[in-house]
Amino acid sequence: MKTVSGMLILFVLSMVLVTPLSGVAQKTKPAEKSLVGFISDNHCGLKHQTGMGDDKSCTLMCVKNGGKFVLADRDNKRVYQLDQAGQDKAREFAGQKVKVTGRVSGKTIRVTAIEAAT
């Protein structure tokens, strides 16, 4: 009897350990893709307010005052938040049309690259 109950315990323990691992294997990261838009800030989003200077000046001023850089896709009227890597890379492209490459999850982009769009 002890060997049967011992084997049963080993079986149950192995199922407990293996079941979570099977879920991990099924979860895949979203594919990397590129989006085109303008580097803006989360205060202004798709359109900057009049009287705030050009897009670059307005974006940099808003970020200096606590805002965050975003990708404003004006064609599709969507604003994407940029992760910390994107925040660091976006500064040099403030107000410009860019191509952002990374993993999109909801309204956030995990940025791998930002370059000027043509």
Side-chain angles (χ1 to χ4, degrees):
M1 272 304 203
K2 288 185 177 183
T3 58
V4 172
S5 63
M7 288 177 61
L8 183 60
I9 290 172
L10 284 175
F11 176 75
V12 171
L13 283 174
S14 66
M15 291 307 293
V16 168
L17 293 173
V18 170
T19 302
L21 294 177
S22 64
V24 170
Q26 293 175 358
K27 292 179 184 176
T28 58
K29 292 181 181 179
E32 200 169 87
K33 64 183 193 178
S34 296
L35 299 168
V36 176
F38 292 83
I39 296 297
S40 184
D41 61 90
N42 63 334
H43 292 160
C44 295
L46 293 169
K47 186 175 181 182
H48 296 279
Q49 298 177 13
T50 56
M52 299 298 289
D54 63 3
D55 289 353
K56 180 178 181 174
S57 299
C58 182
T59 299
L60 291 173
M61 183 176 59
C62 288
V63 169
K64 181 180 177 184
N65 290 320
K68 298 280 185 182
F69 290 110
V70 298
L71 178 70
D73 181 353
R74 295 176 184 164
D75 293 337
N76 296 307
K77 296 185 169 106
R78 291 190 62 126
V79 175
Y80 294 93
Q81 306 300 315
L82 304 177
D83 69 349
Q84 188 57 48
Q87 294 296 311
D88 297 338
K89 295 174 183 179
R91 181 169 301 282
E92 70 178 281
F93 297 102
Q96 296 179 35
K97 188 173 184 179
V98 295
K99 179 172 82 168
V100 175
T101 304
R103 298 189 196 299
V104 179
S105 177
K107 292 186 177 182
T108 302
I109 304 173
R110 226 178 133 161
V111 178
T112 54
I114 299 177
E115 59 189 67
T118 55

